[in-house]
Amino acid sequence: MANIQARFQLDWPGFTLDIDLALPGRGVTALFGPSGSGKTTLLRCVAGLERAPQGFLSVNGEIWQKDNYWLPTHQRPLGYVFQEASLFPHLSVMGNLCYGMKRSANVQASALDKPIELLGIGHLLDRKPDRLSGGERQRVGIARALAVNPRILLMDEPLAALDIKRKQEILPYLEHLHDALDIPILYVSHSPDEVARLADHLVVLEGGRMLANGPLAETLARLDLPIRLGEDVGTVLDAKVGAIDSDWHLARVDFLGGSLWAREHGIPIGRHVRVRVLARDVSLAQQAPGQSSIQNVLRGRVDAIGNDGHPGLALVRVRVGDSMLLARLTKRAVAELGITLGQELWVQVKSVALME
């Protein structure tokens, strides 16, 4: 059952936000879409920084906006993380964290312990912001947002200002937050990698309106609205590392429906991972493949067939156990193989992207 209900309408010159959303009350919901699609505006409406007349907002049973009632931002129990940490330069890290607590009178000093541990900033507490890296500053900014013991965390492209190295540094901490926090996180991002790695739920926006809203894997597998994860459409599987082949530097990842081999990245057996499989890396066969360079072969059933972006191409959705994969085929191949709904086929996966 959805625990966040949000309905906003704003009319500005050249832009209209018209949103009616039901979202889960825990986990990471990614707000995804091109620039100007309304992601940040929606986040600001939830925070109360933009006031949408006659809007409605309920967060885990608490009404923050309804009819003429509107709870001001400073009274909303939320944390907000911006693209830039915007720390006070004259205060230490600890001083910045304590300052963030002042707006919440009922929060005890011990409330800082968990954010400090989760973000790994205990050794930075005495430093001033000018002695922190970009990734460290952003981790402090996130800890400051959590210091108020929020009931929802809003994150507006928190990694956008960081280079690739700093993004890779901070992503494991964001994954840790995902596992450790029992509150909903609304996460605005342009990055397909961040969405695939962090999100449980996906909202796709375009032109101020919602195009899709649902669990990540299910939404990515929709054929009526193929969503590109960067350069191509594809699906994301929740999996665990089941075995390591040290001789060939490969890891076997097990998911609901089968197993796939991927390049080994030092992730221990038993660790939860996500696997991204792009449609261009999946092929289908009527008969079990013989000797081939493709090491990942699964048995699946055709679940849906749809059009792709080119008139000569099709997307075929295949159910493998309880999981879904997408395959891009030419329409001629679909016809020659006689692919129909419900047909059992062999699924060959050429390449797998492993995300810790």
Side-chain angles (χ1 to χ4, degrees):
M1 181 178 179
N3 290 311
I4 300 176
Q5 301 282 340
R7 185 173 64 251
F8 303 115
Q9 184 169 351
L10 282 172
D11 290 302
W12 293 336
F15 176 77
T16 297
L17 180 74
D18 190 356
I19 293 293
D20 191 347
L21 288 173
L23 302 174
R26 189 188 184 284
V28 177
T29 293
L31 306 181
F32 187 68
S35 296
S37 60
K39 304 183 298 297
T40 295
T41 303
L42 171 58
L43 214 64
R44 289 175 60 84
C45 286
V46 172
L49 298 172
E50 298 287 352
R51 187 165 185 172
Q54 304 306 311
F56 177 84
L57 178 62
S58 172
V59 178
N60 288 333
E62 292 187 5
I63 302 296
W64 291 5
Q65 183 177 355
K66 182 180 180 181
D67 299 327
N68 294 323
Y69 173 75
W70 185 78
L71 192 67
T73 299
H74 69 275
Q75 293 182 14
R76 299 187 182 196
L78 60 86
Y80 204 124
V81 180
F82 298 89
Q83 291 185 22
E84 296 284 352
S86 300
L87 304 178
F88 293 107
H90 64 288
L91 296 178
S92 66
V93 167
M94 179 58 84
N96 273 277
L97 296 179
C98 292
Y99 186 90
M101 295 178 63
K102 291 181 180 179
R103 53 168 285 228
S104 186
N106 296 323
V107 176
Q108 304 297 318
S110 59
L112 286 175
D113 295 342
K114 186 175 181 179
I116 289 172
E117 179 183 357
L118 287 175
L119 278 304
I121 58 173
H123 64 295
L124 305 175
L125 297 179
D126 294 329
R127 294 190 193 177
K128 294 288 183 64
D130 62 357
R131 294 182 55 214
L132 302 176
S133 70
E136 289 170 341
R137 283 195 297 271
Q138 198 63 321
R139 281 155 58 193
V140 173
I142 297 171
R144 183 177 59 184
L146 293 174
V148 299
N149 196 22
R151 294 186 190 140
I152 187 171
L153 182 62
L154 310 178
M155 306 186 80
D156 190 0
E157 297 193 73
L159 307 186
L162 304 179
D163 58 32
I164 293 177
K165 182 178 180 180
R166 298 307 178 194
K167 286 182 181 181
Q168 294 304 315
E169 168 193 310
I170 200 173
L171 271 169
Y173 291 99
L174 296 183
E175 289 173 327
H176 196 189
L177 289 181
H178 169 277
D179 296 334
L181 296 180
D182 196 31
I183 61 173
I185 300 173
L186 300 189
Y187 191 98
V188 169
S189 180
H190 284 100
S191 168
D193 286 338
E194 291 173 35
V195 171
R197 191 163 170 175
L198 299 173
D200 304 297
H201 198 87
L202 181 62
V203 176
V204 181
L205 301 177
E206 186 174 291
R209 287 172 169 77
M210 180 189 73
L211 294 185
N213 176 22
L216 178 69
E218 177 183 310
T219 306
L220 291 177
R222 283 179 53 174
L223 297 190
D224 61 326
L225 187 69
I227 300 167
R228 290 186 174 273
L229 282 178
E231 68 273 26
D232 200 1
V233 299
T235 54
V236 173
L237 307 174
D238 282 310
K240 282 187 177 181
V241 177
I244 301 293
D245 188 334
S246 300
D247 292 338
W248 301 106
H249 305 286
L250 296 173
R252 193 194 75 212
V253 291
D254 303 329
F255 64 96
L256 291 176
S259 298
L260 294 165
W261 287 99
R263 286 182 293 176
E264 196 264 325
H265 293 288
I267 303 171
I269 292 175
R271 175 76 61 83
H272 172 267
V273 294
R274 286 187 173 183
V275 177
R276 183 169 63 185
V277 182
L278 299 180
R280 69 184 186 197
D281 293 325
V282 179
S283 63
L284 305 176
Q286 285 189 333
Q287 298 180 350
Q291 288 188 330
S292 169
S293 63
I294 298 177
Q295 299 289 291
N296 293 314
V297 180
L298 304 161
R299 192 68 169 158
R301 184 184 298 273
V302 176
D303 182 77
I305 304 172
N307 293 320
D308 199 8
H310 187 279
L313 297 176
L315 286 173
V316 180
R317 188 170 66 203
V318 182
R319 182 179 291 276
V320 179
D322 291 331
S323 303
M324 294 286 191
L325 294 174
L326 296 180
R328 174 176 290 108
L329 280 67
T330 65
K331 290 184 177 178
R332 183 170 70 178
V334 172
E336 289 180 349
L337 290 172
I339 294 177
T340 58
L341 293 179
Q343 181 181 5
E344 289 194 356
L345 292 168
W346 294 97
V347 182
Q348 301 177 99
V349 181
K350 182 174 68 174
S351 179
V352 175
L354 185 61
M355 296 170 289
E356 189 174 352

